[in-house]
Amino acid sequence: LDDLLADGVADRTVLVRADLNVPLDGSTITDDGRIRASQPTLNALAGAGAKVVVMAHLGRPKGAPEDRYSLAPVADRLGELLGRPVAFATDLVGESARSTVAGLSGGSVALLENVRFDPRETAKDEAARGELAAELVDLVSGGEGAAFVSDGFGVVHRKQASVYEVARLLPHYAGSLVSAETEVLRRLTGEPERPYVVILGGSKVSDKLGVITALLPQVDALLIGGGMAYTFLAAQGHGVGDSLLQADQIDTTRGLLEKYGDKIVLPSDLVIADDFAPDAATEIVDAAGIPDGWQGLDIGPNTREAFGRVIAQARTIFWNGPVGVFEMKAFSAGTLAVAQAIAASDAFSVVGGGDSAAAVRTLGVEESGFSHISTGGGASLEFLEGAELPGIAVLED
Ligand code: 3PG
């Protein structure tokens, strides 16, 4: 971004891919962290006199407009945060987008409707993605010197038209969020200060197997909570009642326990419930003792303490995924304890993943207690896994 600003952007049209994929309750934004994270780049460009055209997605619509996935509420919040009006185009490359972009003057910002309302954005067919990218470029190329800034770190692992193909058609730059996020995550993949402790939660082992396998040789301890812990407990031979279980992953998980058992820390006790509901009956049991008809929904008090002790020793910490169903108060104590233990530590600490970042904010833990809260969920995991991220590779090309 500094290179682009140094060249001068006054009155140039700059197309920015941001990640504004925020949680919504109806049209109310329940966590605006990603919108706030997009501000530095957008302010820098608008402040330097660029005509800023922002592309973003919301949710996973099936390639056609759906009201509940409209970015209209996001445009309003973005305008409030930027302190400048944000013109909202009700389509992506159609009449509204063309007139909105034509109406921009230097220093103003427009947001295009959800890029995923166009099936070509996420198409497997490269030609289809290329066609949409060409239309997006055409939209901003009326003015001389159009440029592309990639600032949606949360989507750099997606080979999609607005992330990848557009970058191949315009002079391209990394936005300040993409630069900052990659710099932080490189500290973890480089030579992290030890002990290096990783806490992983979330529901599915299969989603995290890649990162678990890549991280285990590197870390000193891997603490596992959340829904995926039950597949590990089952691999140890424990009954897990009605808890989340990926039976097809038990063998792989057992292999990881055999190879890295000394590094993997599993829950020793659990909060179980007789229903997946905020007012379910609950009990605290040993991790080996979940009765039939009950399900584990949070780590128990002994595990909270044990995780806390390991976290307190760490010099580098990465956390992805809540360790319980934190959205329900009865099952939020584990995630809160993990967040508080990390916040109390003076280690270099990174929180990755929309859910863990939202947990930090909604459970009221001071954000300043963390060295970095990543906006990327899948993106930060794939980065740590060592995978090539298309949205980064295309910028380096
Ligand atoms: C995210 O929520 O992790 C990013 O916005 C990417 O969204 P996606 O997983 O739907 O591509």
Side-chain angles (χ1 to χ4, degrees), residues 240-262:
V240 297
D242 290 353
S243 309
L244 264 186
L245 177 67
Q246 282 191 286
D248 57 340
Q249 301 295 331
I250 291 180
D251 283 348
T252 315
T253 309
R254 189 177 295 121
L256 290 172
L257 283 167
E258 277 163 12
K259 192 158 178 202
Y260 297 106
D262 55 331

Side-chain angles (χ1 to χ4, degrees), residues 4-43:
L4 175 60
L5 293 171
D7 281 352
V9 289
D11 291 321
R12 290 170 64 184
T13 310
V14 180
L15 194 54
V16 179
R17 177 55 157 106
D19 181 6
L20 306 177
N21 189 23
V22 289
L24 285 170
D25 182 6
S27 59
T28 306
I29 296 163
T30 53
D31 176 28
D32 64 3
R34 280 181 166 156
I35 308 179
R36 285 189 281 127
S38 74
Q39 277 179 267
T41 289
L42 300 181
N43 265 332

Side-chain angles (χ1 to χ4, degrees), residues 17-22 34 57-61 116 122 152-158 160 353-355 375-380:
R17 177 55 157 106
D19 181 6
L20 306 177
N21 189 23
V22 289
R34 280 181 166 156
H57 74 282
L58 185 69
R60 292 181 178 169
R116 292 187 182 171
T122 53
F153 179 72
V155 281
V156 290
H157 59 317
R158 303 288 185 216
Q160 298 179 345
D355 279 351
T375 56
S380 60

